[in-house]
Amino acid sequence: MNIMDFNVKKLAADAGTFLSRAVQFTEEKLGQAEKTELDAHLENLLSKAECTKLWTEKIMKQTEVLLQPNPNARIEEFVYEKLDRKAPSRMNNPELLGQYMIDAGNEFGPGTAYGNALIKCGETQRRIGAADRELIQTSAINFLTPLRNFIEGDYKTITKERKLLQNKRLDLDAAKTRLKKAKVAEARAASEQEVRITQSEFDRQAEITRLLLEGISSTHAHHLRCLNDFVEAQMTYYAQCYQYMLDLQKQLGSFPSTFLSNNNQSSTTPAQSVSSPSVLASASASLPSVSNSMVTSGLSELKSSSGSRKARVLYDYDAANSSELSLLADEVITVYSIPGMDSDWLMGERGNQKGKVPITYLELLN
């Protein structure tokens, strides 16, 4: 027998087996043939495996969405992963926002109050972006990869063996059907031998499938450890972000409370005084580092009296015209109010020099 004859006979046998299975399957669906049922334990294991696969896929996909909300970026990462190439590094959203803030702060001037605050906020956003990258990397390695390995590895093996078990069952039931239809003693003997063989193959495949399915419990234990790693990564990330924002709040807390009062003033009536008790109370409550006594008594008394006070300059300030006084950070000047002056300004004196100075750049001294 040459190789070609062997291949032809093998193809014919395979075609006959496929046809026999198809007939058996069709007759089962039509209720014209009996079906060997799997034992309850094996059915429960199969159900548990399907449930594990379903929820693992959902959790994995939603975690990917959580870590990378941009669908285009996820597609790009998927393509590069399939090509076994490293995806190009790009700024994430916090890093991009941080860079814009820093650029804007430098454009407005690091010596100005707003520019300085923008730069501080931008640096914090960049730190948050770096923490975000660390969260994504850690979660991908410790959480997403094990889930994906189960879907693409273990469950594919289970599916393959389960399909093989289904075929063995169809072979067994087809053999049982032929045994029932056999009338001649010789045919019955051959059918009985076929049933014994197919029963043995079915039992062996059922045992293999059962052993694989019982491994799902170990999979759950492994995924539990991975879940703990994911929670720890999130805890680290949110703790870092909280600390970064706490540090930023402390830095911004050194700004005078009149920043907030100015915002409140612009949203109400133009004639509202910066020393209004409600505005000052709101400002001092939002920025606890600024003393209430300084806000309520210092500015109010200064604006309403003809006296003068010493003030420390918080930031450099360049005079816009000859009526204003340029300032240097940390210097101490004398300030006072004059009738009819805008509520955002005071008169400042340094030696023989004097001019208008913005209140937001000053900290009144006792």
Side-chain angles (χ1 to χ4, degrees):
M1 180 187 295
N2 57 36
I3 296 177
M4 184 174 291
D5 290 339
F6 176 79
N7 289 337
V8 169
K9 288 186 176 182
K10 186 176 184 303
L11 288 173
D14 291 342
T17 302
F18 176 80
L19 179 61
S20 174
R21 291 170 180 169
V23 170
Q24 177 65 29
F25 182 79
T26 303
E27 290 180 348
E28 287 177 359
K29 290 297 181 182
L30 296 175
Q32 298 175 354
E34 295 181 1
K35 174 183 176 182
T36 299
E37 299 293 341
L38 302 177
D39 65 80
H41 177 60
L42 189 55
E43 288 285 3
N44 288 335
L45 289 175
L46 287 169
S47 178
K48 184 178 180 180
E50 289 179 358
C51 184
T52 301
K53 183 253 187 183
L54 173 66
W55 287 109
T56 299
E57 282 183 331
K58 288 185 176 182
I59 292 171
M60 184 176 67
K61 290 178 180 178
Q62 194 56 39
T63 303
E64 291 172 344
V65 172
L66 173 69
L67 297 175
Q68 178 50 270
N70 188 338
N72 293 329
R74 292 200 303 274
I75 293 173
E76 181 185 59
E77 292 171 357
F78 175 79
V79 171
Y80 275 99
E81 182 181 347
K82 290 302 179 183
L83 295 175
D84 197 20
R85 294 175 57 186
K86 185 178 180 181
S89 178
R90 292 188 177 88
M91 284 187 176
N92 55 30
N93 290 333
E95 289 173 331
L96 194 58
L97 174 60
Q99 190 60 53
Y100 286 163
M101 286 182 168
I102 291 173
D103 292 344
N106 289 325
E107 183 74 19
F108 296 147
T112 66
Y114 185 41
N116 189 33
L118 278 171
I119 291 173
K120 288 183 179 354
C121 290
E123 290 171 348
T124 299
Q125 290 296 331
R126 290 175 68 174
R127 292 191 189 99
I128 291 175
D132 192 56
R133 287 183 182 276
E134 180 65 24
L135 171 65
I136 292 174
Q137 182 179 7
T138 303
S139 299
I141 295 173
N142 296 337
F143 187 59
L144 289 177
T145 297
L147 298 187
R148 188 176 292 109
N149 287 342
F150 167 73
I151 297 297
E152 298 178 357
D154 294 350
Y155 192 78
K156 279 190 175 180
T157 301
I158 290 173
T159 302
K160 177 182 175 182
E161 296 300 331
R162 182 180 180 179
K163 184 177 179 180
L164 189 55
L165 176 63
Q166 171 75 351
N167 289 336
K168 296 299 182 182
R169 185 196 63 76
L170 290 171
D171 291 343
L172 172 61
D173 289 336
K176 289 179 178 179
T177 300
R178 284 191 290 271
L179 177 60
K180 287 183 179 180
K181 294 179 179 179
K183 302 298 183 183
V184 183
E186 184 177 343
R188 285 190 61 83
S191 296
E192 289 173 352
Q193 177 66 17
E194 182 185 13
V195 168
R196 284 193 293 271
I197 294 174
T198 54
Q199 181 70 60
S200 175
E201 291 178 348
F202 170 76
D203 292 340
R204 179 176 176 276
Q205 186 57 39
E207 182 64 17
I208 293 173
T209 306
R210 183 185 63 78
L211 291 174
L212 282 173
L213 291 172
E214 287 177 345
I216 291 294
S217 296
S218 298
T219 298
H220 284 192
H222 179 51
H223 287 182
L224 174 59
R225 292 192 295 270
C226 297
L227 181 61
N228 286 331
D229 291 340
F230 178 55
V231 170
E232 184 176 346
Q234 283 187 304
M235 181 185 67
T236 301
Y237 168 72
Y238 289 119
Q240 285 178 324
C241 291
Y242 173 76
Q243 188 61 51
Y244 293 153
M245 298 310 296
L246 195 63
D247 294 342
L248 176 62
Q249 185 186 45
K250 290 178 181 178
Q251 294 179 51
L252 297 184
S254 63
F255 290 118
S257 62
T258 46
F259 279 149
L260 182 57
S261 66
N262 288 341
N263 291 337
N264 289 345
Q265 181 185 19
S266 64
S267 63
T268 56
T269 59
Q272 183 180 0
S273 170
V274 72
S275 58
S276 166
S278 62
V279 174
L280 293 174
S282 173
S284 59
S286 299
L287 298 174
S289 63
V290 181
S291 68
N292 290 335
S293 61
M294 185 275 286
V295 175
T296 57
S297 62
L299 286 176
S300 298
E301 291 175 6
L302 188 60
K303 298 291 289 184
S304 61
S305 70
S306 58
S308 62
R309 290 278 297 275
K310 293 292 185 180
R312 183 174 69 87
V313 178
L314 296 172
Y315 319 102
D316 292 345
Y317 177 74
D318 295 326
N321 52 56
S322 59
S323 68
E324 298 177 7
L325 180 66
S326 294
L327 303 173
L328 294 175
D330 294 326
E331 70 172 326
V332 177
I333 63 173
T334 301
V335 293
Y336 56 91
S337 179
I338 59 176
M341 176 170 285
D342 189 287
S343 60
D344 292 337
W345 298 81
L346 289 171
M347 286 299 296
E349 285 189 2
R350 182 201 306 114
N352 295 328
Q353 297 176 319
K354 68 177 181 178
K356 294 192 301 180
V357 293
I359 289 177
T360 54
Y361 282 66
L362 304 173
E363 178 184 19
L364 292 181
L365 301 176
N366 293 328

